[in-house]
Amino acid sequence: MTTTGQAGYPQLSLYIDGEWGQGSGGRGADVVNPATEDVLGRVPFAEPADVDAAIAAARAAFPKWRDAGPDYRSAILLKTAALLHQRADEIGRVMTLEEGKPLAEAAGEVHRAAAGLQWNTEEARRAYGRIIPSGPDEILSVRVVPVGPVGAFVPWNFPAGGPMRKISAALAAGCSIVIKPSEEVPGTVSLIARAFEEAGLPPGVLNVLFGVPDEISRKVIPDPAIRFIAFTGSVPVGKHLAGLAASAMKPTHMELGGHAPVIVCADTDPVKAARTAVRAKIVNAGQVCTSPSRFLVDRRVYDAFTQAFAEAMAAIKVGNGLEPGVQMGPMVSHRRLVAVQKLIEDAVSAGATVVTGGQPIEGTGYFYQPTVLTDVPASAAILSEEPFGPVAPIAPFDDLDAALEVANSLPFGLAAYAYTDSAATAEKLIAGFEAGILSINHCGGSVPQAPSGGVKDSGYGREGGPEGLAGFLVTKRVSHKLSGGSGGTGSPPSRGGHRGGRPPGGDK
Ligand code: NAD
């Protein structure tokens, strides 16, 4: 592994057809440490010719990778996972430098990315087809095969987990991939790509591009060689990319934003609930698509919950993620700091009360105070726009049905949470929440063995679990007449004409 740049930051390159290069045009951008504002390195941008080369490499590599079989693929992918587990601290340090999250959170993410790769690799070995009972002269079967070269685009908030969810599912399923991770956090994924290379991944199976996102997606998505599009990011960009994919008739997975409601009922311990919810709220400084972001609390426990929540938020140690004991790092960029500040200013000017926080932390770095708001009017933008920051608006409710209606009132439908000791209330909320990811009595994170994904504007398709691999596979129906074109050997005539049997050609 090479970490030769400033402060052990890796040399950044494009990775195309097994070669590391600087792109053909000399364009690029500085990568900035959000805790210190130091420039860590320079990420090269792909030119159109580089994008074409990556697509051509993925197209050429695909049939060989597909036909090599699961034993061959598994050996390489599981070796990569082992290397990533070994290097989790080192790669996590690079992630902290470029993205800001605390070191333990970053290293944990690398371990989870490696575990996801292991799980997808093992699960892909069970991509069974089936034989369907059929006539005496026919074998009717369903075959499951890799969809083909994949085009993927992922954001900056999970520099290891984001890319790995796409890469691991694609490669385990037998697909090749062209991926454009975020230009803001290119170091982590570069080290992941190096681990794949060292584990023996053939050239062209994984291609990593950085550049101007719109330039790259406009080339990759319509290219006939690319057969499946996977995107994680904001709703507006997701809708734009889904549109491009629709015009090229490409299937897609869209993992988009959310604005997760948390309903806290009166029959729960409000202090315990507040403490576990704060732990979820500050993960990655709130820059998580499933971050709990709208708190609706039964009025009978509202004061106790709000006080405990605000105290726990105020006690969070914010700082450079490399320092011991730091629980929350900076926002990823000045752009994101400004976006969060604007939402909070808008709420306050509309009448919200700041219980704790409410300001950027003065000095170097893009640090924001963990913030709790109450009395937020329904018209404030923070109640309808995904805040993507360490801020929690809390409101009381008197009627559970009305709270559920508020929870479901936005176009988002990604995660939803509830705290209650009543199984009946929990089941009512599980049935009533319009969201794809639900947790009761905690705000749970994703796991490789279970599917994650949204409904409504939060997108479609799932990552994780057998469902996560399904998008990277296509199903073929195969009816195999054993007697060639001779018309069959003893196949009984279908009784009642074609009413019960299959007419030649069928219905489609
Ligand atoms: P953004 O929509 O500008 O960018 C998100 C990601 O999409 C970035 O990595 C970017 O490079 C990529 N992207 C943007 N335009 C693209 C294009 N035309 N083609 C291909 N890729 C493109 O958002 P942002 O300012 O970086 O983040 C803010 C918002 O994004 C958040 O408020 C949140 O809603 C959303 N977001 C969601 C997730 C998630 O996990 N669902 C992750 C990060 C950001």
Side-chain angles (χ1 to χ4, degrees):
M1 185 164 90
T2 44
T3 50
T4 54
Q6 185 188 330
Y9 193 72
Q11 180 74 41
L12 300 171
S13 307
L14 310 176
Y15 184 53
I16 300 171
D17 204 13
E19 300 287 336
W20 297 89
Q22 291 301 304
S24 47
R27 287 188 297 167
D30 287 344
V31 180
V32 174
N33 180 333
T36 62
E37 301 181 38
D38 289 336
V39 173
L40 292 163
R42 189 165 172 78
V43 58
F45 280 9
E47 298 300 327
D50 303 314
V51 181
D52 286 339
I55 295 169
R59 185 180 54 223
F62 168 61
K64 289 177 243 165
W65 182 244
R66 175 194 62 197
D67 297 341
D71 286 348
Y72 176 81
R73 287 196 293 268
S74 294
I76 293 170
L77 300 184
L78 294 179
K79 188 170 172 192
T80 308
L83 286 175
L84 294 175
H85 279 304
Q86 275 167 25
R87 296 172 183 177
D89 289 345
E90 204 176 336
I91 299 174
R93 188 171 178 282
V94 167
M95 191 190 308
T96 298
L97 285 172
E98 64 185 7
E99 205 267 355
K101 64 182 65 171
L103 197 47
E105 205 176 306
E109 183 182 326
V110 178
H111 280 299
R112 284 200 311 280
L117 174 60
Q118 278 169 287
W119 197 88
N120 272 334
T121 302
E122 287 155 6
E123 183 65 12
R125 300 181 73 99
R126 292 183 280 276
Y128 306 128
R130 62 187 190 271
I131 305 281
I132 298 170
S134 186
D137 198 28
E138 179 188 50
I139 299 171
L140 180 60
S141 64
V142 175
R143 318 273 174 107
V144 181
V145 297
V147 63
V150 171
F153 306 87
V154 290
W156 41 265
N157 55 340
F158 287 97
M164 187 57 99
R165 281 170 167 223
K166 316 291 190 211
I167 295 170
S168 62
L171 269 49
C175 302
S176 55
I177 188 168
V178 175
I179 187 165
K180 192 207 77 59
S182 165
E183 291 68 34
E184 287 169 302
V185 295
T188 304
V189 69
S190 301
L191 296 182
I192 289 174
R194 287 203 185 273
F196 276 108
E197 183 185 40
E198 284 176 45
L201 192 74
V205 175
L206 166 64
N207 303 276
V208 183
L209 298 176
F210 303 105
V212 177
D214 193 50
E215 280 179 24
I216 297 181
S217 54
R218 280 184 194 278
K219 275 190 81 64
V220 168
I221 292 175
D223 194 292
I226 300 293
R227 301 297 170 83
F228 182 72
I229 306 300
F231 174 72
T232 300
S234 65
V235 172
V237 174
K239 286 184 174 176
H240 163 66
L241 298 187
L244 288 180
S247 3
M249 201 46 75
K250 302 279 170 82
T252 63
H253 269 179
M254 290 284 151
E255 298 286 332
L256 309 181
H259 201 336
V262 185
I263 292 184
V264 181
C265 297
D267 59 11
T268 195
D269 175 344
V271 174
K272 213 169 127 195
R275 289 188 185 142
T276 68
V278 164
R279 281 206 291 279
K281 178 70 250 181
I282 59 139
V283 169
N284 201 21
Q287 303 167 113
V288 181
C289 51
T290 54
S291 185
S293 50
R294 293 180 292 144
F295 290 81
L296 302 162
V297 184
D298 189 302
R299 198 178 294 280
R300 290 167 285 177
V301 290
Y302 175 75
D303 288 342
F305 179 87
T306 306
Q307 188 185 339
F309 194 96
E311 278 172 14
M313 285 286 268
I316 294 300
K317 186 172 176 196
V318 183
N320 186 325
L322 293 181
E323 287 167 15
V326 163
Q327 294 167 291
M328 191 183 99
M331 312 298 300
V332 72
S333 60
H334 187 252
R335 174 174 55 86
R336 290 304 314 154
L337 181 86
V338 169
V340 170
Q341 176 65 7
K342 266 194 184 157
L343 283 177
I344 291 173
E345 278 171 6
D346 168 77
V348 171
S349 67
T353 303
V354 178
V355 183
T356 187
Q359 294 294 331
I361 296 173
E362 279 183 22
T364 309
Y366 312 131
F367 296 99
Y368 204 93
Q369 296 172 336
T371 298
V372 177
L373 302 176
T374 54
D375 311 313
V376 183
S379 60
I382 198 162
L383 292 184
S384 53
E385 280 177 35
E386 185 177 21
F388 235 61
V391 50
I394 309 181
F397 72 82
D398 296 301
D399 174 62
L400 186 62
D401 289 320
L404 189 55
E405 209 170 298
V406 172
N408 288 336
S409 62
L410 298 186
F412 299 108
L414 191 60
Y417 308 109
Y419 287 84
T420 174
D421 281 351
S422 155
T425 306
E427 287 303 322
K428 176 186 167 85
L429 292 171
I430 289 166
F433 274 136
E434 294 175 357
I437 300 168
L438 306 178
S439 304
I440 305 296
N441 293 330
H442 71 139
C443 303
S446 62
V447 289
Q449 65 272 30
S452 297
V455 299
K456 302 200 288 186
D457 272 7
S458 294
Y460 40 76
R462 292 292 179 267
E463 288 189 316
E467 293 87 348
L469 279 168
F472 296 81
L473 299 165
V474 284
T475 297
K476 290 182 175 176
R477 183 197 72 196
V478 182
S479 52
H480 183 176
K481 285 280 183 199
L482 298 177
S483 52
S486 71
T489 53
S491 174
S494 67
R495 274 169 289 163
H498 285 143
R499 269 178 294 153
R502 279 186 301 136
D507 296 326
K508 62 175 191 168

